[in-house]
Amino acid sequence: MQSGFISLSPIYDFLRSNPDPKGLERGSPVRRGYGLAAKGICAEIAPAQDSYQCGQYEADGLWRNIYLGKAGFG
């Protein structure tokens, strides 16, 4: 079993600099930028893993899981 940490900072930074929610509509340049940020994060994940999990600490100090990536080699 392998484990590690990845940072979602690139996605958060991208969303902070592009706050318009309509910017993530299909075909928009903002959505393409978001996809590139997510793809960069996923590139750090080893393809042999079957599930990917990441998360963040909430204001109350508890960990919140966020699913990112795909199972298997897809």
Side-chain angles (χ1 to χ4, degrees), residues 25-74:
E25 290 180 354
R26 176 171 282 185
S28 76
V30 173
R31 182 175 172 145
R32 283 191 286 280
Y34 176 84
L36 288 173
K39 187 175 183 176
I41 289 172
C42 290
E44 299 176 30
I45 301 171
Q49 298 297 313
D50 61 351
S51 65
Y52 311 113
Q53 177 180 310
C54 60
Q56 68 182 23
Y57 287 102
E58 297 290 340
D60 58 5
L62 296 176
W63 181 257
R64 177 176 166 210
N65 289 321
I66 302 170
Y67 177 79
L68 179 69
K70 293 183 178 181
F73 294 97

Side-chain angles (χ1 to χ4, degrees), residues 10-23:
I11 287 180
Y12 292 142
D13 293 342
F14 180 83
L15 292 174
R16 271 193 286 277
S17 64
N18 297 280
D20 182 7
K22 291 188 177 192

